[in-house]
Amino acid sequence: MKELYKPLRGMRDILPKDAYGLDRVKRVGCEVSSRYGYRMMETPLLEDVRVFGRSLGESTDVVGKEMYNFEDKSGLEVALRPEMTAGIARAALTHGWHQRLPVRVFYGGAMFRYERPQKGRYRQFHQIGIEALGVGGSQGDSEAITVGYEVLKALGVERRVRLELNSLGSKESRRVYRERLYDWLSPRREGLSEDSRRRLESNPLRILDSKDEGDKELLVDAPGVEESWCDESKRHYDEVREHLTLLGIPYSENGKLVRGLDYYCHTIFEFVVEDWGNQGAVLAGGCYDGLTSLLGGVSLAGVGWAGGCERLLTLCEEEMGEEEEREDWGVLSLGEDAERVVRLWSEKWRGEGWRGVNIGRVTLKKGLKTASRLGLRYVVIVGSDEWERGEVLVRDMDEGTQVRRGYEDWRLWLGGEG
Ligand code: ATP
Ligand code: MG
């Protein structure tokens, strides 16, 4: 039975400290994006596997290797969502969003990828993200980047990340680049990793996203995408860069940035922490015009990003130290009658905004020991002397002092602190 003491590989319990931090990342993300009109939504954890296969691309790592898919009891092949964009594109078709564009949404929740677990890489992890459908053009792209940057700023980590920017250009430009890259890589295929040799035929752009050291070295001299841009692609990208410059959002261009999924065109971007190596991307996205048509529906302009909550939380902690929600107050009762009264009184206090834990009916010694184990700052003590007179003892655990006050107004005496 020993093995049942552990969660599945790559899965973690989210203990209160992390739960608090992850929730804060989500709240900040939601608050910031709501300033731009993004409204919270969520898609189901499970979808028909084809929702991901068709939109992310069969040859991507996320679909080809990392998907948590299985047959359900009715024989349907389903998958736990590895990301939210595909599900939201599906939702756009489900709910006929093309009739009420533009639609801007924010999400936050658990995602699943069957990856090799390591620091910053889990099989169940969390993302926040935004998607803007029907905004389109350079305005959509630059807005998405701006919202991402503002979220990082609100979390206090924008100085730790570098914004990497690239444009894949229009669909046509991307096709031209794909051919150019194929022609350059073909004669060098022997130098590629096994995975990349396979990708060469199915999807050569994917190779640029390889984390294999040998591949990375070989790719240094590979052609960048910029020579393949058409005039329209170039103009679109110029406008995005102008917008970022206008707002003072620093970026560096990386002509080999492609991102892990097939559906991108035009602007793509990644906010990366430089000293974190292969797990350095904390928030990334791009433009995905036409993604909905891959699912068999109308073609919509789309742009968005996803941020990894665990990585963002780690970054916040590195910058600001760990933050934990902590109870300051406890209450304990000495004896049966006092216990009854404490139950009543403490509900009244809670109704007035007091927050505290009930240590229970204990001896004074045991109660104070529990209070210090819980790290409480103050303890309200009610014994038989106290309850009969409608009083409480308020003990300052740090100072070791205590005062006697009336049960109804002791909180006023504290200046609202309790
Ligand atoms: P990576 O290059 O690190 O594999 P990715 O390109 O696969 O990332 P995206 O699909 O862009 O990641 O997801 C957006 C963000 O989600 C990433 O930037 C990262 O912060 C986070 N993320 C992705 N996969 C994981 C994972 N397995 N565990 C924790 N966070 C993850
Ligand atoms: Mg990945």
Side-chain angles (χ1 to χ4, degrees):
M1 288 301 276
K2 191 86 183 177
E3 61 275 21
L4 289 181
Y5 284 23
K6 283 190 177 172
L8 294 175
R9 197 166 131 76
M11 308 266 176
R12 306 181 313 153
D13 294 314
I14 302 165
L15 299 175
K17 182 177 76 65
D18 282 345
Y20 178 76
L22 291 173
D23 186 55
R24 180 173 160 265
V25 169
K26 183 171 168 181
R27 272 185 285 120
V28 168
C30 185
E31 197 284 313
V32 171
S33 48
S34 74
R35 293 182 213 157
Y36 298 78
Y38 290 79
R39 295 175 61 197
M40 179 130 74
M41 75 166 283
E42 188 167 351
T43 63
L45 282 173
L46 276 178
E47 296 264 4
D48 185 315
V49 72
R50 290 168 297 183
V51 169
F52 304 113
R54 287 209 193 134
S55 47
L56 313 189
E58 300 289 349
S59 66
T60 59
D61 281 357
V62 169
V63 171
K65 289 199 225 156
E66 300 167 2
M67 197 120 83
Y68 252 101
N69 55 312
F70 54 93
E71 204 178 275
D72 76 2
K73 286 186 172 136
S74 73
L76 183 70
E77 193 66 12
V78 297
L80 284 163
R81 62 186 187 203
E83 53 108 71
M84 200 83 101
T85 308
I88 288 175
R90 196 263 311 129
L93 301 176
T94 311
H95 307 288
W97 287 355
H98 63 282
Q99 288 169 334
R100 55 183 190 91
L101 295 174
V103 173
R104 289 176 166 88
V105 294
F106 167 87
Y107 63 81
M111 307 294 158
F112 301 83
R113 295 184 192 179
Y114 202 83
E115 304 206 61
R116 192 170 70 76
Q118 50 200 292
K119 191 174 181 337
R121 201 176 285 289
Y122 313 103
R123 290 184 173 177
Q124 177 176 343
F125 63 101
H126 297 78
Q127 287 183 341
I128 53 170
I130 61 167
E131 313 293 350
L133 294 158
V135 178
S138 59
Q139 189 210 331
D141 294 5
S142 47
E143 175 180 294
I145 297 173
T146 307
V147 178
Y149 182 72
E150 288 299 321
V151 169
L152 295 167
K153 228 164 96 180
L155 290 170
V157 299
E158 84 283 6
R159 275 185 297 273
R160 282 293 305 280
V161 296
R162 191 183 61 209
L163 168 57
E164 292 205 347
L165 198 64
N166 194 19
S167 169
L168 295 173
S170 62
K171 301 240 149 62
E172 177 56 17
S173 301
R174 195 179 64 185
R175 196 191 56 73
V176 171
Y177 181 48
R178 183 187 159 124
E179 270 171 27
R180 183 168 294 163
L181 194 63
Y182 180 84
D183 292 343
W184 189 87
L185 284 167
S186 277
R188 297 171 173 81
R189 87 172 59 215
E190 291 314 313
L192 290 170
S193 68
E194 199 186 316
D195 269 347
S196 291
R197 276 202 297 274
R198 197 159 354 102
R199 291 184 190 119
L200 184 58
E201 300 307 323
S202 58
N203 194 342
L205 284 187
R206 279 280 66 71
I207 297 175
L208 291 175
D209 206 37
S210 170
K211 297 197 160 88
D212 179 273
E213 290 305 322
D215 287 352
K216 283 189 188 172
E217 210 167 295
L218 188 144
L219 288 163
V220 169
D221 299 320
V225 66
E226 61 281 352
E227 291 153 49
S228 315
W229 290 333
C230 62
D231 288 346
E232 154 57 17
S233 303
K234 200 172 160 318
R235 194 181 53 76
H236 182 128
Y237 192 40
D238 282 342
E239 286 170 6
V240 172
R241 286 179 290 191
E242 257 169 49
H243 187 109
L244 297 179
T245 307
L246 179 72
L247 293 183
I249 299 176
Y251 63 86
S252 46
E253 288 179 62
N254 174 356
K256 305 224 173 71
L257 180 68
V258 289
R259 308 268 308 113
L261 313 173
D262 276 356
Y263 53 57
Y264 290 111
C265 58
H266 291 294
T267 321
I268 50 176
F269 57 93
E270 258 179 24
F271 288 91
V272 292
V273 182
E274 285 184 65
D275 44 1
W276 281 7
N278 281 342
Q279 276 74 255
V282 290
L283 191 152
C287 169
Y288 52 83
D289 293 350
L291 174 64
T292 44
S293 61
L294 297 176
L295 294 169
V298 288
S299 175
L300 302 178
V303 59
W305 51 255
C309 298
E310 284 80 0
R311 293 184 197 178
L312 287 169
L313 178 59
T314 304
L315 199 55
C316 290
E317 287 174 350
E318 281 188 15
E319 285 302 284
M320 264 142 333
E322 298 188 4
E323 214 185 307
E324 191 168 6
E325 205 181 20
R326 200 188 112 173
E327 301 301 342
D328 273 346
W329 288 85
V331 56
L332 62 86
S333 38
L334 309 172
E336 208 176 309
D337 295 332
E339 188 187 21
R340 204 170 302 124
V341 162
V342 158
R343 252 186 228 141
L344 212 58
W345 291 356
S346 60
E347 285 317 300
K348 171 181 142 56
W349 303 334
R350 285 197 184 91
E352 294 162 356
W354 181 76
R355 297 153 58 86
V357 294
N358 187 2
I359 295 169
R361 181 175 129 205
V362 283
T363 61
L364 186 61
K365 194 169 162 207
K366 217 170 153 197
L368 293 181
K369 215 164 147 190
T370 305
S372 61
R373 195 174 55 240
L374 292 174
L376 301 178
R377 177 79 211 280
Y378 305 99
V379 183
V380 181
I381 302 164
V382 183
S384 55
D385 274 5
E386 283 75 34
W387 82 260
E388 280 175 20
R389 283 191 262 149
E391 289 177 344
V392 299
L393 287 175
V394 180
R395 185 182 178 91
D396 184 325
M397 295 291 290
D398 293 352
E399 304 290 328
T401 54
Q402 59 192 37
V403 291
R404 188 180 293 275
R405 288 291 182 271
Y407 88 98
E408 283 193 288
D409 55 8
W410 65 271
R411 297 187 53 248
L412 293 177
W413 158 78
L414 278 163
E417 212 189 313

